[in-house]
Amino acid sequence: MDWKEHYTLDCTPMDDMHKEFIERVNALALADDASVLTAMKDLLHHFERHFAQENHWMNESDFPPLHCHVGEHERVRAGLQSIIRVVENGNPCLGKTIAREMESWFDHHAATMDTALARHMRHVGYSPHHSGQNS
Ligand SMILES: [Fe+2]
């Protein structure tokens, strides 16, 4: 998964988080059967930090469609968690499928919800930065 021009939302802390997301997805795509579970758990831990951070910015900046965006984060996090259980039960090939699914999910999510959040924060003059607990 490569960084694409339209992923840049002119919001440095968010762009940095998204670059880290792509690194984790690529690590998962390259993982072999022995390391696929670790790569999936790394991605899950990344999501926990990534989504907590964005949810925090939404709260702080009074982002109107907050529930919609937070809800989608939770669906994606919970979905990955349940697929980790399937892989734990002996289906390592699902890791690669998930890496591909993540790419198409992110393509859409970045272009819609994250773009809207970045625009909203600029519009209201809120300047996001990484909060301590997530660094
Ligand atoms: Fe998001």
Side-chain angles (χ1 to χ4, degrees):
M1 175 172 186
D2 295 316
W3 183 263
K4 298 184 183 116
E5 209 45 62
H6 68 270
Y7 293 161
T8 304
L9 302 180
D10 290 324
C11 174
T12 306
M14 210 190 233
D15 292 344
D16 288 348
M17 191 78 87
H18 291 162
K19 284 174 186 153
E20 189 189 319
F21 163 77
I22 289 173
E23 281 170 21
R24 301 289 165 115
V25 170
N26 285 338
L28 176 59
L30 294 171
D32 57 19
D33 286 1
S35 59
V36 67
L37 206 50
T38 306
M40 290 181 88
K41 287 179 179 173
D42 283 350
L43 180 61
L44 183 67
H45 292 142
H46 163 80
F47 272 157
E48 283 162 0
R49 290 197 315 279
H50 174 166
F51 294 159
Q53 180 67 84
E54 284 187 14
N55 295 352
H56 171 77
W57 292 332
M58 286 188 254
N59 266 310
E60 291 262 294
S61 68
D62 287 322
F63 183 57
L66 179 145
H67 293 291
C68 182
H69 196 157
V70 171
E72 173 154 330
H73 285 165
E74 179 50 23
R75 272 192 300 284
V76 171
R77 192 204 60 77
L80 178 60
Q81 196 164 43
S82 61
I83 293 157
I84 285 175
R85 281 195 290 273
V86 178
V87 171
E88 276 171 338
N89 288 329
N91 286 290
C93 58
L94 269 182
K96 302 228 181 299
T97 311
I98 292 309
R100 281 194 300 274
E101 291 294 316
M102 285 295 163
E103 180 164 2
S104 44
W105 166 74
F106 181 73
D107 229 61
H108 185 252
H109 185 80
T112 54
M113 295 193 178
D114 289 345
T115 296
L117 174 59
R119 276 195 196 136
H120 165 77
M121 291 193 290
R122 262 196 303 279
H123 181 70
V124 300
Y126 175 79
S127 57
H129 50 82
H130 288 292
S131 45
Q133 82 262 20
N134 298 308
S135 60

